[in-house]
Amino acid sequence: MSNGSTPSPPRRLRGTLLVVVAAVVVVGLGGWLVWRSAGAGGEQPTAGGISGHGGGHSPAGEDGGHGSRGGEADKKHHDSLQGKVVVIDPGHNPHNNDHGREIARQVDIGNDRKECDTTGTATNDGYAEASFTLDVARRARTLLQKAGAKVVFTQDGDRPYGPCVDKRAALGNTAHADAALSIHADGSGAGNRGFHVILPARVTDGPADTAAIVAPSRRLGERLADRFHAVTGSARSNYIGHGTGLDVRSDLGGLNLSTVPKVFLECGNMRDPKDAAQLTDARWRQKAARGITEGITDFLAH
């Protein structure tokens, strides 16, 4: 008969219970360790802590490009333009608006006489072409210098106006540039989109003689158009060049008077809202600078 207390289990039964409890603990601990090593969700984390779904990406610079390649590859890239001279001509001048009489002065471009310089165009919101060209030129200068090039500017916003188009050409000639580029943006009608590269025509008149630079300038322009398109994603002009992104002209003093390979790059149409959205985007301008650098590098490497 019970006296109100729970009888103690036999010794053999207590031993069996202890073995069962120990087995449960071991199995549970092992399962927890497997779950932990799988990342608590069945996904193996990457080295950067980003889940391996394919949607993550490595950190990039402002231009959205890849990180540094490092080592010998990086050194080779940095030395690719060693000993080369590149002249960058940022189109117009932010101060030209204050010097209308000076920039209206006519200068000899060989087959004609034209204004010393112009004010350039602007977006509908007032972002000036002269500000755009300086920004892209400075970005390109940084990249070109990292590649080892000596970079000469025709103006850096440090002149009261200009210089005149004949002086711009002379600066490239005096520097004995391996390549020269004048950076611009167009001011055409809305709906006209894309970039184009202006190549020098054959002009032999007065102080102009482009016979020796027509062929190398075309090669420069072709390489520039290819890389600018690839890096920026911008389309070749839909209103100039018949889809090639190339246009030959004989009415630009900066080309007529050059004795070194030189082209003009119209990076887009400031009067078109879609193009203007790109031109006013600092990240896109960095891409433009990289496309310019790669185009010049491709030209000088071949």
Side-chain angles (χ1 to χ4, degrees):
M1 162 186 286
S2 171
N3 62 3
S5 63
T6 303
S8 300
R11 291 180 179 275
R12 182 178 299 175
L13 178 58
R14 281 184 292 176
T16 302
L17 288 174
L18 289 173
V19 170
V20 171
V21 170
V24 169
V25 170
V26 169
V27 171
L29 179 60
W32 180 83
L33 289 173
V34 170
W35 175 82
R36 181 69 173 175
S37 65
E43 298 172 4
Q44 185 66 34
T46 66
I50 302 173
S51 175
H53 277 306
H57 60 275
S58 299
E62 183 184 26
D63 65 346
H66 299 294
S68 173
R69 291 173 291 177
E72 288 302 314
D74 191 56
K75 184 177 185 298
K76 181 179 179 181
H77 172 71
H78 284 184
D79 292 342
S80 59
L81 296 181
Q82 195 68 42
K84 301 295 185 180
V85 177
V86 178
V87 169
I88 300 292
D89 176 29
H92 311 290
N93 184 314
H95 310 299
N96 277 358
N97 283 321
D98 301 325
H99 297 273
R101 184 173 63 181
E102 289 87 348
I103 66 173
R105 178 172 63 86
Q106 300 283 299
V107 298
D108 187 0
I109 66 167
N111 58 0
D112 201 356
R113 295 187 67 82
K114 294 191 74 171
E115 295 89 350
C116 158
D117 202 2
T118 64
T119 59
T121 188
T123 65
N124 293 330
D125 292 332
Y127 181 52
E129 179 186 1
S131 297
F132 168 82
T133 63
L134 263 179
D135 183 79
V136 174
R138 288 166 176 165
R139 292 170 184 268
R141 174 172 59 190
T142 298
L143 297 176
L144 288 163
Q145 288 175 336
K146 285 182 178 179
K150 175 184 177 181
V151 181
V152 178
F153 267 33
T154 59
Q155 61 95 10
D156 198 1
D158 52 354
R159 293 172 176 263
Y161 65 89
C164 297
V165 294
D166 56 344
K167 179 64 173 177
R168 291 175 188 259
L171 288 168
N173 300 341
T174 302
H176 303 290
D178 295 288
L181 171 65
S182 189
I183 300 174
H184 289 264
D186 208 0
S188 186
N192 292 338
R193 295 200 62 200
F195 73 91
H196 65 277
V197 181
I198 304 174
L199 314 175
R202 184 183 177 94
V203 177
T204 53
D205 196 352
D209 185 356
T210 63
I213 69 163
V214 167
S217 295
R218 172 168 284 275
R219 291 196 299 273
L220 170 60
E222 290 171 345
R223 300 296 173 95
L224 185 61
D226 287 346
R227 297 312 304 156
F228 193 84
H229 168 66
V231 174
T232 65
S234 295
R236 299 168 195 262
S237 174
N238 64 4
Y239 64 102
I240 290 177
H242 306 288
T244 66
L246 302 175
D247 184 35
V248 178
R249 289 177 58 173
S250 62
D251 62 330
L252 298 173
L255 296 180
N256 287 3
L257 301 174
S258 181
T259 60
V260 300
K262 184 176 182 180
V263 298
F264 278 43
L265 172 62
E266 298 280 358
C267 296
N269 177 18
M270 300 197 96
R271 293 295 185 174
D272 176 80
K274 292 181 179 178
D275 270 11
Q278 293 182 330
L279 299 171
T280 54
D281 182 354
R283 291 170 297 180
W284 185 90
R285 294 197 299 272
Q286 184 67 22
K287 290 182 181 180
R290 186 156 60 87
I292 287 169
T293 300
E294 291 188 10
I296 290 174
T297 301
D298 283 357
F299 167 70
L300 293 177
H302 297 85

